[in-house]
Amino acid sequence: MTSHQPVAAPEEHQVLKFRPRTSDMLRDDEAVAPVEADMPDDFKHRMWTNAAAFAFTVSLTAFGIWIAVLMSDVRTKQDCVLMGRRDCARVATPSGTTEVMAPTHSGVSRP
């Protein structure tokens, strides 16, 4: 098997000279894009923008945690159902009651 290597003509190669930045170059850049120092800093607008960004980040994090917990609960219930169990759902009870249903030998539960 033969290997094909590209053949480059001498005109295709070019060496670029590295020129470090000098203070003259920086002054030229400032002339192209001057910094507007005469504009006042709108502190109130900046704070509102920061607060909005923070609220968005917190809400996105809360949504991510909520969806992760929801996915975990769904996976747990799905595993329970796929094992063939019938008691997979949680039963909500009033918070004041502490009765526990104990099974009896006859199959009827008593409080």
Side-chain angles (χ1 to χ4, degrees):
M1 183 178 262
T2 61
S3 64
H4 298 284
Q5 293 185 1
V7 178
E11 330 46 76
E12 292 180 13
H13 299 288
Q14 183 179 8
V15 177
L16 300 176
K17 183 178 177 184
F18 174 71
R19 293 181 299 163
R21 291 187 180 189
T22 62
S23 60
D24 295 336
M25 291 179 135
L26 294 177
R27 283 191 214 116
D28 292 340
D29 290 342
E30 289 175 358
V32 174
V35 177
E36 297 183 19
D38 58 345
M39 290 191 63
D41 186 20
D42 192 2
F43 184 75
K44 186 176 181 180
H45 180 265
R46 188 172 49 170
M47 288 296 108
W48 277 109
T49 305
N50 288 343
F54 180 74
F56 177 75
T57 303
V58 167
S59 63
L60 193 62
T61 302
F63 177 74
I65 292 170
W66 174 76
I67 200 78
V69 169
L70 182 69
M71 289 171 60
S72 174
D73 289 343
V74 168
R75 181 178 177 189
T76 303
K77 289 178 185 176
Q78 184 180 18
D79 288 345
C80 181
V81 169
L82 290 176
M83 284 191 293
R85 294 178 59 184
R86 292 184 176 186
D87 57 346
C88 297
R90 292 183 183 175
V91 178
T93 58
S95 61
T97 61
T98 58
E99 291 184 18
V100 177
M101 301 297 279
T104 61
H105 295 290
S106 64
V108 179
S109 43
R110 287 189 257 161

